[in-house]
mmCIF file of all heavy atoms in Angstrom:
data_model
loop_
_atom_site.group_PDB
_atom_site.id
_atom_site.type_symbol
_atom_site.label_atom_id
_atom_site.label_comp_id
_atom_site.label_asym_id
_atom_site.label_seq_id
_atom_site.Cartn_x
_atom_site.Cartn_y
_atom_site.Cartn_z
ATOM 1 N N LYS A 207 1.649 -85.880 -6.682
ATOM 2 C CA LYS A 207 1.335 -86.098 -5.227
ATOM 3 C C LYS A 207 -0.150 -86.194 -4.930
ATOM 4 O O LYS A 207 -0.848 -85.198 -4.591
ATOM 5 C CB LYS A 207 1.882 -84.928 -4.428
ATOM 6 C CG LYS A 207 1.995 -85.155 -2.933
ATOM 7 C CD LYS A 207 2.774 -84.015 -2.233
ATOM 8 C CE LYS A 207 2.081 -82.772 -2.125
ATOM 9 N NZ LYS A 207 2.849 -81.628 -1.554
ATOM 10 N N SER A 208 -0.804 -87.362 -5.231
ATOM 11 C CA SER A 208 -2.161 -87.390 -4.894
ATOM 12 C C SER A 208 -2.393 -87.708 -3.427
ATOM 13 O O SER A 208 -1.595 -88.388 -2.778
ATOM 14 C CB SER A 208 -2.974 -88.386 -5.911
ATOM 15 O OG SER A 208 -2.498 -89.650 -5.552
ATOM 16 N N GLN A 209 -3.528 -87.192 -2.934
ATOM 17 C CA GLN A 209 -3.844 -87.440 -1.505
ATOM 18 C C GLN A 209 -5.281 -87.875 -1.421
ATOM 19 O O GLN A 209 -6.101 -87.289 -2.062
ATOM 20 C CB GLN A 209 -3.710 -86.101 -0.747
ATOM 21 C CG GLN A 209 -2.300 -85.628 -0.541
ATOM 22 C CD GLN A 209 -2.443 -84.113 0.036
ATOM 23 O OE1 GLN A 209 -2.413 -83.213 -0.745
ATOM 24 N NE2 GLN A 209 -2.435 -84.028 1.308
ATOM 25 N N LYS A 210 -5.541 -88.792 -0.598
ATOM 26 C CA LYS A 210 -6.854 -89.403 -0.383
ATOM 27 C C LYS A 210 -7.449 -89.017 0.886
ATOM 28 O O LYS A 210 -6.881 -89.169 1.909
ATOM 29 C CB LYS A 210 -6.896 -90.915 -0.576
ATOM 30 C CG LYS A 210 -8.183 -91.521 -0.828
ATOM 31 C CD LYS A 210 -8.098 -92.869 -1.385
ATOM 32 C CE LYS A 210 -9.591 -93.314 -1.633
ATOM 33 N NZ LYS A 210 -9.701 -94.603 -2.212
ATOM 34 N N SER A 211 -8.680 -88.471 0.859
ATOM 35 C CA SER A 211 -9.415 -88.083 2.151
ATOM 36 C C SER A 211 -10.142 -89.295 2.663
ATOM 37 O O SER A 211 -10.352 -90.173 2.004
ATOM 38 C CB SER A 211 -10.426 -86.994 1.729
ATOM 39 O OG SER A 211 -11.460 -86.948 2.702
ATOM 40 N N LYS A 212 -10.453 -89.196 3.964
ATOM 41 C CA LYS A 212 -11.138 -90.287 4.575
ATOM 42 C C LYS A 212 -12.560 -90.463 4.027
ATOM 43 O O LYS A 212 -13.097 -91.512 4.104
ATOM 44 C CB LYS A 212 -11.185 -90.166 6.110
ATOM 45 C CG LYS A 212 -11.486 -88.918 6.741
ATOM 46 C CD LYS A 212 -11.360 -88.949 8.259
ATOM 47 C CE LYS A 212 -11.865 -87.780 8.978
ATOM 48 N NZ LYS A 212 -11.276 -86.535 8.633
ATOM 49 N N ASP A 213 -13.042 -89.417 3.405
ATOM 50 C CA ASP A 213 -14.417 -89.576 2.751
ATOM 51 C C ASP A 213 -14.299 -90.068 1.325
ATOM 52 O O ASP A 213 -15.276 -90.081 0.594
ATOM 53 C CB ASP A 213 -15.139 -88.257 2.895
ATOM 54 C CG ASP A 213 -14.479 -87.125 2.095
ATOM 55 O OD1 ASP A 213 -13.895 -87.337 1.068
ATOM 56 O OD2 ASP A 213 -14.615 -85.970 2.598
ATOM 57 N N GLY A 214 -13.093 -90.440 0.882
ATOM 58 C CA GLY A 214 -13.045 -90.992 -0.536
ATOM 59 C C GLY A 214 -12.567 -89.924 -1.573
ATOM 60 O O GLY A 214 -12.191 -90.268 -2.653
ATOM 61 N N THR A 215 -12.633 -88.673 -1.225
ATOM 62 C CA THR A 215 -12.204 -87.623 -2.154
ATOM 63 C C THR A 215 -10.691 -87.733 -2.407
ATOM 64 O O THR A 215 -9.888 -87.942 -1.461
ATOM 65 C CB THR A 215 -12.530 -86.263 -1.467
ATOM 66 O OG1 THR A 215 -13.863 -86.168 -1.225
ATOM 67 C CG2 THR A 215 -12.159 -85.068 -2.385
ATOM 68 N N VAL A 216 -10.327 -87.572 -3.666
ATOM 69 C CA VAL A 216 -8.862 -87.624 -3.980
ATOM 70 C C VAL A 216 -8.516 -86.248 -4.609
ATOM 71 O O VAL A 216 -9.127 -85.744 -5.455
ATOM 72 C CB VAL A 216 -8.558 -88.741 -4.962
ATOM 73 C CG1 VAL A 216 -7.022 -88.940 -5.095
ATOM 74 C CG2 VAL A 216 -9.160 -90.115 -4.581
ATOM 75 N N LYS A 217 -7.372 -85.729 -4.060
ATOM 76 C CA LYS A 217 -6.848 -84.539 -4.604
ATOM 77 C C LYS A 217 -5.574 -84.805 -5.391
ATOM 78 O O LYS A 217 -4.748 -85.538 -4.931
ATOM 79 C CB LYS A 217 -6.550 -83.452 -3.509
ATOM 80 C CG LYS A 217 -6.046 -82.183 -4.108
ATOM 81 C CD LYS A 217 -5.978 -81.067 -3.015
ATOM 82 C CE LYS A 217 -4.772 -81.197 -2.126
ATOM 83 N NZ LYS A 217 -4.507 -80.033 -1.364
ATOM 84 N N PHE A 218 -5.472 -84.285 -6.636
ATOM 85 C CA PHE A 218 -4.310 -84.526 -7.469
ATOM 86 C C PHE A 218 -3.521 -83.194 -7.624
ATOM 87 O O PHE A 218 -4.114 -82.126 -7.831
ATOM 88 C CB PHE A 218 -4.812 -84.995 -8.841
ATOM 89 C CG PHE A 218 -5.566 -86.216 -8.810
ATOM 90 C CD1 PHE A 218 -6.963 -86.176 -8.576
ATOM 91 C CD2 PHE A 218 -4.968 -87.465 -8.911
ATOM 92 C CE1 PHE A 218 -7.736 -87.347 -8.513
ATOM 93 C CE2 PHE A 218 -5.769 -88.633 -8.926
ATOM 94 C CZ PHE A 218 -7.134 -88.613 -8.700
ATOM 95 N N MET A 232 -11.245 -85.406 -7.286
ATOM 96 C CA MET A 232 -12.359 -86.317 -7.634
ATOM 97 C C MET A 232 -13.164 -86.523 -6.350
ATOM 98 O O MET A 232 -12.608 -86.940 -5.282
ATOM 99 C CB MET A 232 -11.833 -87.583 -8.147
ATOM 100 C CG MET A 232 -13.019 -88.534 -8.618
ATOM 101 S SD MET A 232 -12.462 -90.148 -9.132
ATOM 102 C CE MET A 232 -12.495 -91.051 -7.643
ATOM 103 N N LYS A 234 -16.638 -88.491 -4.729
ATOM 104 C CA LYS A 234 -17.569 -89.586 -4.942
ATOM 105 C C LYS A 234 -18.891 -89.328 -4.355
ATOM 106 O O LYS A 234 -18.980 -88.983 -3.151
ATOM 107 C CB LYS A 234 -16.963 -90.912 -4.321
ATOM 108 C CG LYS A 234 -15.761 -91.359 -4.984
ATOM 109 C CD LYS A 234 -15.280 -92.596 -4.330
ATOM 110 C CE LYS A 234 -14.429 -93.411 -5.386
ATOM 111 N NZ LYS A 234 -14.641 -94.781 -5.364
ATOM 112 N N THR A 283 -7.350 -93.634 -11.172
ATOM 113 C CA THR A 283 -8.228 -94.215 -10.168
ATOM 114 C C THR A 283 -8.906 -95.430 -10.733
ATOM 115 O O THR A 283 -9.469 -96.257 -10.031
ATOM 116 C CB THR A 283 -9.317 -93.305 -9.678
ATOM 117 O OG1 THR A 283 -10.073 -92.878 -10.931
ATOM 118 C CG2 THR A 283 -8.817 -92.031 -9.094
ATOM 119 N N GLU A 285 -11.502 -95.298 -12.301
ATOM 120 C CA GLU A 285 -12.938 -95.011 -12.197
ATOM 121 C C GLU A 285 -13.453 -94.109 -13.322
ATOM 122 O O GLU A 285 -12.644 -93.360 -13.885
ATOM 123 C CB GLU A 285 -13.223 -94.283 -10.915
ATOM 124 C CG GLU A 285 -12.739 -94.979 -9.717
ATOM 125 C CD GLU A 285 -13.823 -95.275 -8.742
ATOM 126 O OE1 GLU A 285 -15.042 -95.222 -9.120
ATOM 127 O OE2 GLU A 285 -13.471 -95.620 -7.579
ATOM 128 N N GLY A 464 -13.482 -83.586 1.490
ATOM 129 C CA GLY A 464 -11.986 -83.452 1.341
ATOM 130 C C GLY A 464 -11.326 -82.322 2.083
ATOM 131 O O GLY A 464 -10.217 -82.015 1.776
ATOM 132 N N ASP A 466 -10.024 -82.403 4.978
ATOM 133 C CA ASP A 466 -8.837 -82.941 5.669
ATOM 134 C C ASP A 466 -7.627 -82.934 4.842
ATOM 135 O O ASP A 466 -6.499 -83.037 5.348
ATOM 136 C CB ASP A 466 -9.167 -84.338 6.300
ATOM 137 C CG ASP A 466 -9.553 -85.377 5.261
ATOM 138 O OD1 ASP A 466 -10.181 -84.993 4.242
ATOM 139 O OD2 ASP A 466 -9.314 -86.545 5.545
ATOM 140 N N ILE A 467 -7.762 -82.898 3.518
ATOM 141 C CA ILE A 467 -6.630 -82.829 2.657
ATOM 142 C C ILE A 467 -6.594 -81.503 1.920
ATOM 143 O O ILE A 467 -5.951 -81.414 0.770
ATOM 144 C CB ILE A 467 -6.566 -84.086 1.667
ATOM 145 C CG1 ILE A 467 -7.928 -84.176 0.865
ATOM 146 C CG2 ILE A 467 -6.216 -85.368 2.389
ATOM 147 C CD1 ILE A 467 -7.812 -85.145 -0.343
ATOM 148 N N ALA A 469 -8.832 -80.096 0.088
ATOM 149 C CA ALA A 469 -9.289 -80.306 -1.224
ATOM 150 C C ALA A 469 -10.723 -79.662 -1.382
ATOM 151 O O ALA A 469 -11.382 -79.756 -2.381
ATOM 152 C CB ALA A 469 -9.366 -81.790 -1.691
#
Side-chain angles (χ1 to χ4, degrees):
K207 193 170 73 182
S208 68
Q209 288 169 271
K210 196 163 182 178
S211 157
K212 48 184 188 297
D213 61 35
T215 301
V216 190
K217 182 170 80 167
F218 301 85
M232 183 183 90
K234 291 181 154 220
T283 60
E285 305 238 17
D466 56 333
I467 53 165

